[in-house]
Amino acid sequence: MNFTRSEAIKNLASTPEWDIAIIGGGATGLGIAVDAASRGYRTLLVEKYDFAKGTSSKSTKLVHGGVRYLANGDVKLVYSALKERGLIFQNAPHVSFVQSFVIPSYGLISKMKFLIGLKLYDWMAGKLRIGKSKLLNKEEVIKKLPKVKTEGLKGGIQYYDGQFDDARLAINLAQTAVEYGATVVNYAEVVHIRKDKKGTVNGLTVIDGDSGSRYDIMAKVIINATGIFVDDILKLDTPTHKNLVRPSQGAHVVVDKKFLGNEDALMIPETSDGRVLFGVPWHGKVLLGTTDTPLNEHQIEPRPLEEEINFILTTAESYLENPPKRSDIKSIFAGLRPLAAPQDGNVESTKEISRDHKLIKSDSGLITITGGKWTTYRKMGEETVDLAIKTGKLPEKRCKTADLPLHGHSTESRAGHWQVYGSDYEPIRKLMDTHTSFAERIHPDYDFRVAEIIWACRYEMVVKLEDFLARRIRLLLLDAQASLDAAPKVAKIMADQLGKDDLWMDKELDDYRNLVKTYML
């Protein structure tokens, strides 16, 4: 696998024309790249930051149909998402898992109401159903959620949904696209959209963030898949463009596993303000979230608001016997959902904003995809490429991604975080066998090894220190302080692998220290 940035830049500079050029390296853009490349189109993807740097690495880590959306009557979205959930389990079993969820019930009426809804949820999944919802008595709930509040507990409901590692799936999508002939480049910013004399888009001007070099590329179709930044790209196309997206922030806090108990996840279906809250076991920790806060501004590194952190902790306190306090929080993070903005009505309520995706073709021929969710990335990619074929008058080729195994595909079970490497685990293990130092841990409390840094530098296109600590492994999200402690050792090894000097190391460490502040209280 030649998944290197130097090779990608060489292809970027030497290819006379692309069939499809994609702006944006999150879930949506990467899904489009896999679809387009696997159909045989000359495909380019450029990303201003790192792959999944934004919202796509800051999800609640759920592959799900969306129980909440079913309650809101969005049956079409749920039906589609449940099908896509099944396909993710099929195509990327190494990074996606069936997760048991328990809804504790403190009232008999609510228990029956939720059971009926979840039975419908099971039925909608059809042959791709991954488990069967059932009633639990009080003792069964306590066994599955040992830390749940028992006073007034009437029992509960168990149902099944999916969990995954979002940033790892993103890098696997990038690797898969390259294996099918695509060129994908991180840290490559689009600064200009090129047009022909008729005003039809036909290319891009891209700046390489590493070298500063400028590249003018030609493409038959341009796709804007930049998530919360779609309006910024649309303004390059049409300066008078009015915003399509209203960002909604989802905040999360990460605590030790002891606050929840076992392998089952907690689902709170009706919080004080009508939101759904999850407590999900993830990489040996528990992730609590999410919030749904409408914002007027978007940024690449949003920080959870104080009121969001308080809301999560207060809600957890209502359901857990010994709830976590602020001092127990290992990491905090937030992602901005690119929700399609309402044209009228109550703009302060994100409940009025569609969760489904929107596919738009501008007068210039620029294609924009916005909205949607991680679970439906593949379907979004398929629909976008179908429109690209018509727009660019490309030869028609059928979509192949419904049964396309992704890079790393493996059904073998491995302990701990090694699971998410899938078939890449064996070559990483062999690296550890070649040198004793490669098997050393990068932090005494976590099982991440030096060999993983080397692997990421050679085969996972890391450019910055945070690429590794935040997304190739997930240490920043799991334990912000531990990631800061590990940073000097990681930076030194990365510098050796990438051919960088001490000045690079010093700058990377400064940048990382500043970043970590946004993940700590």
CSV table of all heavy atoms in Angstrom, one decimal, residues 384-439:
chain,number,residue,atom,x,y,z
A,384,THR,N,-24.0,11.1,-4.2
A,384,THR,CA,-23.2,12.2,-4.7
A,384,THR,C,-22.5,11.8,-6.0
A,384,THR,O,-22.4,12.6,-7.0
A,384,THR,CB,-22.1,12.6,-3.6
A,384,THR,OG1,-22.8,12.9,-2.4
A,384,THR,CG2,-21.4,13.9,-4.1
A,385,VAL,N,-21.9,10.6,-6.1
A,385,VAL,CA,-21.2,10.2,-7.3
A,385,VAL,C,-22.2,10.0,-8.4
A,385,VAL,O,-21.9,10.3,-9.6
A,385,VAL,CB,-20.4,8.9,-7.0
A,385,VAL,CG1,-19.8,8.4,-8.3
A,385,VAL,CG2,-19.3,9.2,-6.0
A,386,ASP,N,-23.4,9.5,-8.1
A,386,ASP,CA,-24.4,9.4,-9.2
A,386,ASP,C,-24.7,10.8,-9.8
A,386,ASP,O,-24.8,10.9,-11.0
A,386,ASP,CB,-25.7,8.8,-8.6
A,386,ASP,CG,-25.7,7.3,-8.3
A,386,ASP,OD1,-24.7,6.7,-8.8
A,386,ASP,OD2,-26.5,6.8,-7.6
A,387,LEU,N,-24.8,11.8,-8.9
A,387,LEU,CA,-25.0,13.2,-9.5
A,387,LEU,C,-23.8,13.7,-10.2
A,387,LEU,O,-23.9,14.3,-11.2
A,387,LEU,CB,-25.4,14.1,-8.3
A,387,LEU,CG,-25.6,15.6,-8.7
A,387,LEU,CD1,-26.8,15.7,-9.8
A,387,LEU,CD2,-26.0,16.4,-7.5
A,388,ALA,N,-22.6,13.3,-9.7
A,388,ALA,CA,-21.4,13.7,-10.4
A,388,ALA,C,-21.3,13.2,-11.8
A,388,ALA,O,-20.8,13.8,-12.7
A,388,ALA,CB,-20.2,13.3,-9.6
A,389,ILE,N,-21.7,11.9,-12.0
A,389,ILE,CA,-21.7,11.3,-13.3
A,389,ILE,C,-22.6,12.1,-14.3
A,389,ILE,O,-22.1,12.3,-15.4
A,389,ILE,CB,-22.2,9.8,-13.2
A,389,ILE,CG1,-21.2,9.0,-12.4
A,389,ILE,CG2,-22.5,9.2,-14.6
A,389,ILE,CD1,-21.7,7.6,-12.0
A,390,LYS,N,-23.7,12.5,-13.8
A,390,LYS,CA,-24.6,13.2,-14.7
A,390,LYS,C,-24.1,14.6,-15.0
A,390,LYS,O,-24.1,15.1,-16.1
A,390,LYS,CB,-26.0,13.4,-14.1
A,390,LYS,CG,-26.8,12.1,-13.9
A,390,LYS,CD,-28.2,12.4,-13.5
A,390,LYS,CE,-29.0,11.1,-13.2
A,390,LYS,NZ,-28.9,10.6,-11.8
A,391,THR,N,-23.5,15.3,-13.9
A,391,THR,CA,-23.0,16.6,-14.1
A,391,THR,C,-21.8,16.7,-15.0
A,391,THR,O,-21.7,17.6,-15.8
A,391,THR,CB,-22.7,17.2,-12.7
A,391,THR,OG1,-23.8,17.1,-11.8
A,391,THR,CG2,-22.1,18.6,-12.7
A,392,GLY,N,-20.9,15.7,-14.8
A,392,GLY,CA,-19.7,15.8,-15.6
A,392,GLY,C,-19.7,15.0,-16.9
A,392,GLY,O,-18.7,14.8,-17.6
A,393,LYS,N,-21.0,14.4,-17.2
A,393,LYS,CA,-21.1,13.5,-18.3
A,393,LYS,C,-20.0,12.4,-18.4
A,393,LYS,O,-19.4,12.1,-19.4
A,393,LYS,CB,-21.1,14.3,-19.6
A,393,LYS,CG,-22.2,15.4,-19.7
A,393,LYS,CD,-22.2,16.1,-21.0
A,393,LYS,CE,-23.4,17.0,-21.2
A,393,LYS,NZ,-23.6,18.0,-20.1
A,394,LEU,N,-19.8,11.8,-17.2
A,394,LEU,CA,-18.9,10.7,-17.1
A,394,LEU,C,-19.5,9.4,-17.6
A,394,LEU,O,-20.7,9.3,-17.5
A,394,LEU,CB,-18.4,10.6,-15.6
A,394,LEU,CG,-17.8,11.8,-15.0
A,394,LEU,CD1,-17.5,11.5,-13.5
A,394,LEU,CD2,-16.5,12.2,-15.7
A,395,PRO,N,-18.7,8.5,-18.0
A,395,PRO,CA,-19.3,7.2,-18.4
A,395,PRO,C,-20.0,6.5,-17.2
A,395,PRO,O,-19.4,6.5,-16.1
A,395,PRO,CB,-18.1,6.4,-18.9
A,395,PRO,CG,-16.9,7.1,-18.3
A,395,PRO,CD,-17.3,8.5,-18.2
A,396,GLU,N,-21.2,6.0,-17.3
A,396,GLU,CA,-21.9,5.4,-16.2
A,396,GLU,C,-21.3,4.1,-15.7
A,396,GLU,O,-21.0,3.2,-16.5
A,396,GLU,CB,-23.4,5.2,-16.6
A,396,GLU,CG,-24.1,6.6,-16.7
A,396,GLU,CD,-25.6,6.4,-16.4
A,396,GLU,OE1,-26.0,5.5,-15.7
A,396,GLU,OE2,-26.4,7.2,-16.9
A,397,LYS,N,-21.1,4.0,-14.4
A,397,LYS,CA,-20.6,2.8,-13.8
A,397,LYS,C,-21.3,2.6,-12.5
A,397,LYS,O,-21.6,3.6,-11.8
A,397,LYS,CB,-19.1,2.9,-13.5
A,397,LYS,CG,-18.2,3.1,-14.8
A,397,LYS,CD,-16.8,3.4,-14.4
A,397,LYS,CE,-15.9,3.7,-15.7
A,397,LYS,NZ,-14.5,4.0,-15.4
A,398,ARG,N,-21.7,1.4,-12.2
A,398,ARG,CA,-22.5,1.1,-11.0
A,398,ARG,C,-21.7,1.3,-9.7
A,398,ARG,O,-20.5,1.0,-9.7
A,398,ARG,CB,-23.2,-0.2,-11.1
A,398,ARG,CG,-22.2,-1.4,-11.0
A,398,ARG,CD,-22.9,-2.7,-10.9
A,398,ARG,NE,-22.0,-3.8,-10.6
A,398,ARG,CZ,-21.5,-4.2,-9.4
A,398,ARG,NH1,-22.0,-3.5,-8.4
A,398,ARG,NH2,-20.7,-5.2,-9.3
A,399,CYS,N,-22.4,1.6,-8.7
A,399,CYS,CA,-21.8,1.7,-7.3
A,399,CYS,C,-21.5,0.3,-6.8
A,399,CYS,O,-22.2,-0.7,-7.0
A,399,CYS,CB,-22.8,2.4,-6.4
A,399,CYS,SG,-22.3,2.4,-4.7
A,400,LYS,N,-20.3,0.2,-6.2
A,400,LYS,CA,-19.8,-1.1,-5.7
A,400,LYS,C,-19.6,-1.1,-4.2
A,400,LYS,O,-19.2,-2.1,-3.6
A,400,LYS,CB,-18.4,-1.4,-6.3
A,400,LYS,CG,-18.5,-1.5,-7.8
A,400,LYS,CD,-17.1,-1.8,-8.4
A,400,LYS,CE,-17.1,-1.9,-9.9
A,400,LYS,NZ,-15.7,-2.2,-10.4
A,401,THR,N,-20.0,0.0,-3.5
A,401,THR,CA,-19.6,0.1,-2.1
A,401,THR,C,-20.5,-0.7,-1.1
A,401,THR,O,-20.1,-0.9,0.1
A,401,THR,CB,-19.5,1.5,-1.6
A,401,THR,OG1,-20.8,2.2,-1.9
A,401,THR,CG2,-18.4,2.3,-2.3
A,402,ALA,N,-21.6,-1.2,-1.5
A,402,ALA,CA,-22.5,-1.9,-0.6
A,402,ALA,C,-21.9,-3.2,-0.1
A,402,ALA,O,-22.1,-3.6,1.1
A,402,ALA,CB,-23.9,-2.2,-1.3
A,403,ASP,N,-21.0,-3.8,-0.9
A,403,ASP,CA,-20.4,-5.0,-0.4
A,403,ASP,C,-18.9,-4.9,-0.7
A,403,ASP,O,-18.2,-5.9,-1.1
A,403,ASP,CB,-21.0,-6.2,-1.1
A,403,ASP,CG,-21.0,-6.1,-2.6
A,403,ASP,OD1,-20.5,-5.1,-3.1
A,403,ASP,OD2,-21.5,-7.1,-3.3
A,404,LEU,N,-18.3,-3.7,-0.4
A,404,LEU,CA,-16.9,-3.5,-0.6
A,404,LEU,C,-16.1,-3.5,0.7
A,404,LEU,O,-16.3,-2.6,1.6
A,404,LEU,CB,-16.7,-2.1,-1.3
A,404,LEU,CG,-15.2,-1.8,-1.7
A,404,LEU,CD1,-15.0,-2.5,-3.1
A,404,LEU,CD2,-15.0,-0.3,-1.9
A,405,PRO,N,-15.3,-4.6,1.0
A,405,PRO,CA,-14.5,-4.6,2.2
A,405,PRO,C,-13.6,-3.4,2.3
A,405,PRO,O,-12.9,-3.1,1.3
A,405,PRO,CB,-13.8,-5.9,2.2
A,405,PRO,CG,-14.5,-6.7,1.1
A,405,PRO,CD,-15.1,-5.8,0.2
A,406,LEU,N,-13.5,-2.8,3.5
A,406,LEU,CA,-12.6,-1.6,3.6
A,406,LEU,C,-11.3,-2.1,4.1
A,406,LEU,O,-11.1,-3.1,4.7
A,406,LEU,CB,-13.2,-0.6,4.6
A,406,LEU,CG,-14.6,0.0,4.1
A,406,LEU,CD1,-15.1,1.0,5.2
A,406,LEU,CD2,-14.5,0.7,2.8
A,407,HIS,N,-10.3,-1.2,3.9
A,407,HIS,CA,-8.9,-1.5,4.3
A,407,HIS,C,-8.9,-1.9,5.8
A,407,HIS,O,-9.5,-1.3,6.7
A,407,HIS,CB,-8.0,-0.3,4.2
A,407,HIS,CG,-6.6,-0.6,4.6
A,407,HIS,ND1,-5.6,-1.1,3.7
A,407,HIS,CD2,-6.0,-0.5,5.8
A,407,HIS,CE1,-4.5,-1.2,4.4
A,407,HIS,NE2,-4.7,-0.9,5.7
A,408,GLY,N,-8.2,-3.0,6.1
A,408,GLY,CA,-8.1,-3.5,7.5
A,408,GLY,C,-9.2,-4.6,7.8
A,408,GLY,O,-9.1,-5.1,8.9
A,409,HIS,N,-10.1,-4.8,6.9
A,409,HIS,CA,-11.2,-5.8,7.1
A,409,HIS,C,-10.6,-7.1,7.7
A,409,HIS,O,-9.8,-7.7,7.2
A,409,HIS,CB,-11.9,-6.1,5.8
A,409,HIS,CG,-13.1,-7.0,5.9
A,409,HIS,ND1,-13.0,-8.3,6.1
A,409,HIS,CD2,-14.4,-6.7,5.8
A,409,HIS,CE1,-14.2,-8.8,6.2
A,409,HIS,NE2,-15.1,-7.9,6.0
A,410,SER,N,-11.2,-7.4,8.9
A,410,SER,CA,-10.8,-8.6,9.6
A,410,SER,C,-11.9,-9.0,10.6
A,410,SER,O,-12.5,-8.1,11.2
A,410,SER,CB,-9.5,-8.4,10.3
A,410,SER,OG,-9.2,-9.5,11.1
A,411,THR,N,-12.2,-10.2,10.7
A,411,THR,CA,-13.2,-10.7,11.6
A,411,THR,C,-12.6,-11.3,12.9
A,411,THR,O,-13.3,-11.7,13.8
A,411,THR,CB,-14.2,-11.7,11.0
A,411,THR,OG1,-13.4,-12.8,10.5
A,411,THR,CG2,-15.0,-11.1,9.9
A,412,GLU,N,-11.3,-11.2,12.9
A,412,GLU,CA,-10.6,-11.7,14.1
A,412,GLU,C,-10.8,-10.7,15.3
A,412,GLU,O,-10.8,-9.5,15.1
A,412,GLU,CB,-9.1,-11.8,13.9
A,412,GLU,CG,-8.7,-13.1,13.0
A,412,GLU,CD,-7.2,-13.3,13.0
A,412,GLU,OE1,-6.6,-13.3,14.1
A,412,GLU,OE2,-6.7,-13.5,11.9
A,413,SER,N,-10.9,-11.3,16.5
A,413,SER,CA,-11.1,-10.4,17.7
A,413,SER,C,-9.7,-10.3,18.4
A,413,SER,O,-9.0,-11.3,18.5
A,413,SER,CB,-12.0,-11.1,18.7
A,413,SER,OG,-13.3,-11.1,18.1
A,414,ARG,N,-9.4,-9.1,18.7
A,414,ARG,CA,-8.1,-8.8,19.4
A,414,ARG,C,-8.4,-7.9,20.7
A,414,ARG,O,-9.3,-7.1,20.7
A,414,ARG,CB,-7.1,-8.1,18.5
A,414,ARG,CG,-6.7,-9.0,17.3
A,414,ARG,CD,-5.6,-8.4,16.5
A,414,ARG,NE,-5.2,-9.3,15.5
A,414,ARG,CZ,-5.7,-9.4,14.3
A,414,ARG,NH1,-6.7,-8.6,14.0
A,414,ARG,NH2,-5.3,-10.3,13.4
A,415,ALA,N,-7.6,-8.1,21.6
A,415,ALA,CA,-7.8,-7.4,22.9
A,415,ALA,C,-7.4,-5.9,22.8
A,415,ALA,O,-6.5,-5.5,22.0
A,415,ALA,CB,-6.9,-8.0,24.0
A,416,GLY,N,-8.2,-5.1,23.5
A,416,GLY,CA,-7.9,-3.7,23.6
A,416,GLY,C,-8.0,-2.9,22.3
A,416,GLY,O,-8.7,-3.3,21.4
A,417,HIS,N,-7.1,-1.9,22.2
A,417,HIS,CA,-7.2,-1.0,21.0
A,417,HIS,C,-6.6,-1.7,19.8
A,417,HIS,O,-6.8,-1.2,18.6
A,417,HIS,CB,-6.4,0.3,21.3
A,417,HIS,CG,-5.0,0.2,21.1
A,417,HIS,ND1,-4.2,-0.5,22.1
A,417,HIS,CD2,-4.1,0.5,20.1
A,417,HIS,CE1,-2.9,-0.4,21.7
A,417,HIS,NE2,-2.8,0.2,20.5
A,418,TRP,N,-6.0,-2.8,19.9
A,418,TRP,CA,-5.4,-3.5,18.7
A,418,TRP,C,-6.5,-4.0,17.8
A,418,TRP,O,-6.3,-4.1,16.6
A,418,TRP,CB,-4.6,-4.7,19.2
A,418,TRP,CG,-3.4,-4.4,20.0
A,418,TRP,CD1,-3.2,-4.6,21.4
A,418,TRP,CD2,-2.2,-3.6,19.6
A,418,TRP,NE1,-2.0,-4.0,21.8
A,418,TRP,CE2,-1.4,-3.5,20.7
A,418,TRP,CE3,-1.8,-3.2,18.3
A,418,TRP,CZ2,-0.2,-2.8,20.6
A,418,TRP,CZ3,-0.6,-2.5,18.3
A,418,TRP,CH2,0.2,-2.4,19.4
A,419,GLN,N,-7.7,-4.1,18.3
A,419,GLN,CA,-8.8,-4.5,17.4
A,419,GLN,C,-9.0,-3.6,16.2
A,419,GLN,O,-9.3,-4.1,15.1
A,419,GLN,CB,-10.1,-4.5,18.3
A,419,GLN,CG,-11.4,-4.8,17.5
A,419,GLN,CD,-11.5,-6.2,16.9
A,419,GLN,OE1,-11.0,-7.1,17.5
A,419,GLN,NE2,-12.1,-6.3,15.8
A,420,VAL,N,-8.9,-2.3,16.4
A,420,VAL,CA,-9.2,-1.4,15.3
A,420,VAL,C,-8.2,-1.4,14.2
A,420,VAL,O,-8.5,-0.8,13.1
A,420,VAL,CB,-9.4,0.1,15.9
A,420,VAL,CG1,-10.5,0.1,16.9
A,420,VAL,CG2,-8.1,0.6,16.5
A,421,TYR,N,-7.1,-2.0,14.4
A,421,TYR,CA,-6.1,-2.1,13.2
A,421,TYR,C,-6.5,-3.2,12.2
A,421,TYR,O,-6.1,-3.2,11.1
A,421,TYR,CB,-4.7,-2.4,13.8
A,421,TYR,CG,-4.0,-1.2,14.3
A,421,TYR,CD1,-3.8,-1.1,15.7
A,421,TYR,CD2,-3.6,-0.2,13.5
A,421,TYR,CE1,-3.2,0.0,16.2
A,421,TYR,CE2,-2.9,0.9,14.0
A,421,TYR,CZ,-2.7,1.0,15.4
A,421,TYR,OH,-2.1,2.1,15.9
A,422,GLY,N,-7.3,-4.2,12.7
A,422,GLY,CA,-7.7,-5.2,11.8
A,422,GLY,C,-6.5,-6.0,11.2
A,422,GLY,O,-5.6,-6.4,11.9
A,423,SER,N,-6.5,-6.1,9.9
A,423,SER,CA,-5.4,-6.9,9.2
A,423,SER,C,-4.1,-6.2,9.3
A,423,SER,O,-3.1,-6.8,9.0
A,423,SER,CB,-5.8,-7.1,7.8
A,423,SER,OG,-6.0,-5.9,7.1
A,424,ASP,N,-4.1,-4.9,9.7
A,424,ASP,CA,-2.8,-4.2,9.9
A,424,ASP,C,-2.1,-4.6,11.2
A,424,ASP,O,-0.9,-4.2,11.4
A,424,ASP,CB,-3.0,-2.7,9.8
A,424,ASP,CG,-3.2,-2.2,8.4
A,424,ASP,OD1,-2.8,-2.9,7.4
A,424,ASP,OD2,-3.7,-1.1,8.2
A,425,TYR,N,-2.8,-5.3,12.0
A,425,TYR,CA,-2.2,-5.6,13.3
A,425,TYR,C,-0.9,-6.5,13.2
A,425,TYR,O,0.1,-6.2,13.9
A,425,TYR,CB,-3.2,-6.4,14.2
A,425,TYR,CG,-2.6,-7.0,15.4
A,425,TYR,CD1,-2.2,-6.3,16.5
A,425,TYR,CD2,-2.3,-8.4,15.5
A,425,TYR,CE1,-1.5,-6.8,17.6
A,425,TYR,CE2,-1.7,-9.0,16.6
A,425,TYR,CZ,-1.3,-8.2,17.6
A,425,TYR,OH,-0.7,-8.8,18.7
A,426,GLU,N,-1.0,-7.5,12.3
A,426,GLU,CA,0.2,-8.4,12.1
A,426,GLU,C,1.4,-7.7,11.7
A,426,GLU,O,2.5,-7.9,12.3
A,426,GLU,CB,-0.2,-9.5,11.2
A,426,GLU,CG,-1.1,-10.6,11.8
A,426,GLU,CD,-0.4,-11.3,13.0
A,426,GLU,OE1,0.8,-11.4,13.1
A,426,GLU,OE2,-1.2,-11.6,14.0
A,427,PRO,N,1.4,-6.8,10.7
A,427,PRO,CA,2.7,-6.1,10.4
A,427,PRO,C,3.2,-5.2,11.5
A,427,PRO,O,4.4,-5.0,11.7
A,427,PRO,CB,2.3,-5.3,9.1
A,427,PRO,CG,0.9,-5.4,8.9
A,427,PRO,CD,0.4,-6.6,9.7
A,428,ILE,N,2.2,-4.6,12.3
A,428,ILE,CA,2.6,-3.8,13.4
A,428,ILE,C,3.3,-4.6,14.5
A,428,ILE,O,4.3,-4.3,15.1
A,428,ILE,CB,1.4,-3.0,14.0
A,428,ILE,CG1,0.9,-2.0,13.0
A,428,ILE,CG2,1.9,-2.2,15.3
A,428,ILE,CD1,-0.4,-1.3,13.4
A,429,ARG,N,2.7,-5.8,14.7
A,429,ARG,CA,3.3,-6.8,15.7
A,429,ARG,C,4.7,-7.2,15.2
A,429,ARG,O,5.6,-7.3,16.1
A,429,ARG,CB,2.4,-8.0,15.8
A,429,ARG,CG,2.9,-8.9,16.9
A,429,ARG,CD,2.0,-10.2,16.9
A,429,ARG,NE,2.1,-10.9,15.7
A,429,ARG,CZ,3.1,-11.7,15.3
A,429,ARG,NH1,4.2,-11.8,16.1
A,429,ARG,NH2,3.1,-12.3,14.2
A,430,LYS,N,4.9,-7.4,13.9
A,430,LYS,CA,6.2,-7.8,13.4
A,430,LYS,C,7.2,-6.6,13.6
A,430,LYS,O,8.4,-6.9,13.9
A,430,LYS,CB,6.1,-8.1,11.9
A,430,LYS,CG,5.5,-9.5,11.7
A,430,LYS,CD,5.3,-9.8,10.2
A,430,LYS,CE,4.6,-11.2,10.1
A,430,LYS,NZ,4.3,-11.5,8.7
A,431,LEU,N,6.7,-5.4,13.5
A,431,LEU,CA,7.6,-4.2,13.8
A,431,LEU,C,8.1,-4.3,15.2
A,431,LEU,O,9.3,-4.1,15.5
A,431,LEU,CB,6.8,-2.9,13.6
A,431,LEU,CG,7.0,-2.2,12.3
A,431,LEU,CD1,6.2,-0.9,12.3
A,431,LEU,CD2,8.4,-1.8,12.0
A,432,MET,N,7.2,-4.6,16.1
A,432,MET,CA,7.5,-4.7,17.6
A,432,MET,C,8.6,-5.8,17.8
A,432,MET,O,9.4,-5.7,18.7
A,432,MET,CB,6.3,-4.9,18.4
A,432,MET,CG,5.4,-3.7,18.5
A,432,MET,SD,4.2,-3.8,19.8
A,432,MET,CE,3.0,-4.9,19.0
A,433,ASP,N,8.5,-6.9,17.0
A,433,ASP,CA,9.4,-8.0,17.1
A,433,ASP,C,10.8,-7.7,16.6
A,433,ASP,O,11.8,-8.3,17.0
A,433,ASP,CB,8.8,-9.2,16.4
A,433,ASP,CG,7.6,-9.8,17.0
A,433,ASP,OD1,7.3,-9.5,18.2
A,433,ASP,OD2,6.9,-10.6,16.4
A,434,THR,N,10.9,-6.7,15.7
A,434,THR,CA,12.2,-6.4,15.1
A,434,THR,C,13.1,-5.7,16.0
A,434,THR,O,14.4,-5.9,16.0
A,434,THR,CB,12.0,-5.6,13.8
A,434,THR,OG1,11.4,-4.4,14.1
A,434,THR,CG2,11.3,-6.4,12.7
A,435,HIS,N,12.6,-4.8,16.9
A,435,HIS,CA,13.4,-4.0,17.8
A,435,HIS,C,12.7,-4.0,19.2
A,435,HIS,O,11.5,-3.6,19.2
A,435,HIS,CB,13.6,-2.6,17.3
A,435,HIS,CG,14.4,-2.5,16.1
A,435,HIS,ND1,15.8,-2.7,16.1
A,435,HIS,CD2,14.1,-2.3,14.8
A,435,HIS,CE1,16.3,-2.5,14.9
A,435,HIS,NE2,15.3,-2.3,14.0
A,436,THR,N,13.4,-4.2,20.2
A,436,THR,CA,12.8,-4.2,21.6
A,436,THR,C,12.2,-2.8,21.8
A,436,THR,O,11.2,-2.7,22.4
A,436,THR,CB,13.9,-4.5,22.6
A,436,THR,OG1,14.6,-5.7,22.3
A,436,THR,CG2,13.3,-4.6,24.0
A,437,SER,N,12.9,-1.7,21.4
A,437,SER,CA,12.4,-0.4,21.6
A,437,SER,C,11.1,-0.1,21.0
A,437,SER,O,10.3,0.7,21.4
A,437,SER,CB,13.5,0.6,21.2
A,437,SER,OG,13.6,0.6,19.8
A,438,PHE,N,10.8,-0.8,19.9
A,438,PHE,CA,9.5,-0.6,19.1
A,438,PHE,C,8.3,-1.1,19.9
A,438,PHE,O,7.2,-0.7,19.7
A,438,PHE,CB,9.5,-1.2,17.8
A,438,PHE,CG,10.5,-0.6,16.8
A,438,PHE,CD1,11.2,0.5,17.1
A,438,PHE,CD2,10.6,-1.1,15.5
A,438,PHE,CE1,12.1,1.1,16.2
A,438,PHE,CE2,11.4,-0.5,14.6
A,438,PHE,CZ,12.2,0.6,14.9
A,439,ALA,N,8.6,-2.0,20.9
A,439,ALA,CA,7.5,-2.5,21.7
A,439,ALA,C,7.3,-1.7,23.0
A,439,ALA,O,6.4,-2.0,23.7
A,439,ALA,CB,7.8,-4.0,22.1
